[in-house]
Amino acid sequence: MKKSEINFSVTLDEKNLPKSIEWNATDKEAEGMESTRSISLNVWDNLNHNTLRIDLWTDDMSVVEMKRFYIDILGGMAQTILNATGDEYYAEEIKDLCDRLVTHVNEENKKQ
């Protein structure tokens, strides 16, 4: 049986806010730690039947990047729910939300 690992290393500033985030994975193409500005990790807690979340981002991640990141996450969730359950309605509802959010972000960017 194959085993894979994903590792995160977070450097915190004096206020315990992320200053830098690095990650590595055994199945990643490039070797060694790689820098990123944000991670979002969700874990299903079987014992308590709820979702545990870790959302971290560095202060150099722009608001526009953050919004795009979460739109991408939602889009990925739509595909995952379709693959896992075959529920096209559920997946399409999430995709429709993503489309509305992209429109919103694009309109915001035009105003700036």
Side-chain angles (χ1 to χ4, degrees):
M1 182 180 304
K2 182 178 176 180
K3 181 178 179 180
S4 287
E5 291 186 19
I6 302 171
N7 298 295
F8 296 100
S9 177
V10 181
T11 303
L12 304 174
D13 67 13
E14 62 280 349
K15 296 178 184 175
N16 286 330
L17 298 173
K19 194 66 182 162
S20 69
I21 303 169
E22 294 182 316
W23 70 281
N24 196 11
T26 53
D27 292 338
K28 184 168 68 90
E29 286 185 23
E31 290 191 29
M33 297 297 277
E34 191 171 323
S35 180
T36 187
R37 292 185 182 148
S38 184
I39 61 173
S40 180
L41 179 65
N42 300 284
V43 178
W44 179 250
D45 179 357
N46 286 329
L47 183 62
N48 298 303
H49 301 287
N50 62 17
T51 302
L52 307 173
R53 296 180 40 152
I54 299 172
D55 295 304
L56 300 173
W57 60 94
T58 61
D59 60 0
D60 61 342
M61 184 164 196
S62 71
V63 171
V64 172
E65 287 176 313
M66 179 65 80
K67 290 179 180 183
R68 173 65 192 266
F69 180 54
Y70 278 93
I71 291 169
D72 287 349
I73 289 170
L74 287 169
M77 288 178 180
Q79 189 61 52
T80 298
I81 199 72
L82 181 62
N83 294 345
T85 69
D87 190 332
E88 292 181 19
Y89 174 81
Y90 198 112
E92 285 302 317
E93 288 294 309
I94 297 172
K95 287 179 187 176
D96 289 345
L97 171 60
C98 289
D99 290 342
R100 290 193 306 273
L101 291 171
V102 166
T103 299
H104 170 73
V105 169
N106 287 341
E107 288 173 1
E108 274 188 336
N109 289 339
K110 286 179 187 176
K111 293 176 185 176
Q112 295 177 354

